[in-house]
Amino acid sequence: MYGRMLSVALMSNATMLQFVSHGARPAISYSALQAGVGTGLLGALAATFSVVPLLGAIPLGRMADRGHVISLIFAACFSQICAVLGLILWPTQLVVLLLGGVVLGLGHVCGVVAQQTLVARSPAHLLNRAFSQYTFFGTLGQLAGPLLLSVSGQDTSADVVMVFALVGLGTLAVLASALALVVLLRREASDHPQPSIVQAPREAARPASSARRRLIASVVISTVMLAVVDVVTIYLPAWGVEHGVLAATVGLLLVSRAFGLLAGRVLVQPLLRLVSRAWLQVLSAIVAGLATAAIAWPAPVLFAFAVLFSSGVAIGICQPVSMIYVSATAPPNAVSTWLSIRLSGNSAGMLFGPPLAGLLAFALGPAGVIAGTSLCAALISGAAATAFRAESMEGTG
């Protein structure tokens, strides 16, 4: 009875959660630049978003496996509202930017763990469709968030107060969709009581060694892809300032990548009929790394649009396939835990990737940072493919 309404509430919550994060984070970069932070330190500032996800994703996943999904949904709302409120009130205070990134990251990981846990409950034959749909709607938020930059400034800077205020409206939508989701979950639980959840033994999260190698390889691929996404998000504003590109155009460049991500989500199911989950994530990760690296090529801005759209398509294929693969391969009573291990890996890439890339910024500039990170990601993804050598490349037909 509540299936369709529950799906609408979940997808709405996913969209708005991503909207808030992807709207606020580029604005934090502009705030830092306006406060006098150098481009080499932007990576360290951006890494604050990933501190809590790195340390907390796995414990939060275990919470979800024990049935505390609703608590995570409310924690996500509260954290995002607090973070954005601070950024609205003190938009150029470095301490607030640091703390805002940390609290925003807390809200993001709580929401994502809860959402992915609910999606992973789908029947096995609907898993591809469920995760494709979930990532599609999440990408809508990733697309809409950067659009805020394109309405906030007509030069190489941006009106960060306006952006944060609009993001603040987004947090209210997160809260509204979360309340609807919780009401529907409780009604569904009362109509269809589930057996008491018993905590799985620690060994349950440890699959056979061959499956563990494949799960870890999938996590590694997802990690390096998120590092590429994050480095582009953080350093593209600096690239725009260096090349005299308007803030509005930088926002549209990020939107073009989001359109690519959206297109990639649509292609997931057809491609899985041709190529297996394991190999599709490998091939799309390599293509994404090579495509993003082309940003360093001296060419008109239109070329940058093509590059970011192409890399977005490849990443848009890789990320949901990685989630599907982990969900299908992990032990049934520890799916949320393994999805959270994947999230923790993603956060490690987001935490350590930008600061390490920042070391390159002093020598190579923003374009060199993006290209270098992307090439490394392609090489690492190729190396991780050895874990899948025993798997067929054929899809489901």
Side-chain angles (χ1 to χ4, degrees):
M1 177 178 179
Y2 301 112
R4 186 174 296 276
M5 294 172 63
L6 186 61
S7 177
V8 170
L10 177 58
M11 297 309 152
S12 299
N13 190 252
T15 300
M16 297 314 302
L17 185 86
Q18 296 291 344
F19 170 81
V20 169
S21 295
H22 285 261
R25 297 194 68 208
I28 289 175
S29 290
Y30 276 111
S31 291
L33 291 171
Q34 291 173 15
V37 174
T39 57
L41 297 177
L42 281 181
L45 176 63
T48 59
F49 179 81
S50 305
V51 171
V52 175
L54 175 63
L55 300 176
I58 295 174
L60 291 173
R62 289 173 179 157
M63 281 182 61
D65 278 327
R66 293 195 294 267
H68 300 296
V69 172
I70 290 176
S71 298
L72 294 176
I73 292 172
F74 281 129
C77 295
F78 180 75
S79 299
Q80 286 202 325
I81 290 171
C82 289
V84 174
L85 182 60
L87 292 169
I88 291 171
L89 295 175
W90 300 283
T92 56
Q93 295 295 316
L94 185 57
V95 173
V96 175
L97 295 177
L98 290 167
L99 292 177
V102 171
V103 179
L104 196 67
L106 171 62
H108 187 83
V109 71
C110 287
V112 169
V113 168
Q115 293 162 5
Q116 290 187 8
T117 297
L118 294 174
V119 176
R121 292 177 182 174
S122 303
H125 68 285
L126 296 177
L127 202 59
N128 289 354
R129 178 182 177 182
F131 271 105
S132 297
Q133 184 183 51
Y134 167 68
T135 54
F136 178 89
F137 280 95
T139 304
L140 288 179
Q142 295 174 14
L143 187 156
L147 270 177
L148 300 179
L149 289 177
S150 62
V151 300
S152 68
Q154 297 300 319
D155 52 27
T156 59
S157 185
D159 184 348
V160 293
V161 175
M162 178 187 293
V163 174
F164 290 139
L166 293 173
V167 170
L169 295 177
T171 62
L172 299 180
V174 173
L175 178 60
S177 60
L179 290 173
L181 183 58
V182 168
V183 168
L184 291 168
L185 285 171
R186 287 178 171 166
R187 286 184 180 177
E188 185 182 58
S190 64
D191 287 354
H192 306 283
Q194 298 295 321
S196 298
I197 296 175
V198 179
Q199 183 175 354
R202 187 176 295 273
E203 289 77 12
R206 299 174 181 171
S209 58
S210 60
R212 185 164 58 248
R213 284 195 299 273
R214 288 181 277 120
L215 281 166
I216 291 172
S218 183
V219 168
V220 168
I221 291 171
S222 178
T223 296
V224 295
M225 286 297 98
L226 258 292
V228 170
V229 170
D230 216 47
V231 165
V232 172
T233 300
I234 300 308
Y235 282 95
L236 200 64
W239 174 87
V241 171
E242 183 179 80
H243 290 78
V245 177
L246 301 180
T249 303
V250 171
L252 291 175
L253 283 167
L254 291 172
V255 169
S256 74
R257 183 182 66 178
F259 271 117
L261 290 168
L262 204 61
R265 308 312 196 207
V266 174
L267 294 173
V268 167
Q269 288 193 74
L271 288 174
L272 283 174
R273 298 189 186 101
L274 303 174
V275 185
S276 69
R277 295 166 177 169
W279 286 102
L280 183 56
Q281 63 182 326
V282 171
L283 295 174
S284 57
I286 293 173
V287 171
L290 296 177
T292 309
I295 195 75
W297 189 266
V301 175
L302 285 177
F303 180 75
F305 276 100
V307 163
L308 290 177
F309 178 82
S310 301
S311 67
V313 171
I315 295 171
I317 294 168
C318 181
Q319 288 301 103
V321 173
S322 173
M323 279 188 273
I324 295 166
Y325 188 84
V326 169
S327 297
T329 308
N333 52 357
V335 171
S336 294
T337 298
W338 274 96
L339 283 171
S340 297
I341 290 171
R342 176 184 173 277
L343 280 174
S344 187
N346 290 351
S347 300
M350 295 167 69
L351 179 63
F352 298 113
L356 291 175
L359 299 176
L360 297 175
F362 293 107
L364 302 179
V369 170
I370 295 172
T373 304
S374 302
L375 288 174
C376 287
L379 291 172
I380 292 171
S381 298
T386 57
F388 307 117
R389 58 183 180 274
E391 296 204 17
S392 170
M393 289 191 69
E394 294 182 5
T396 55

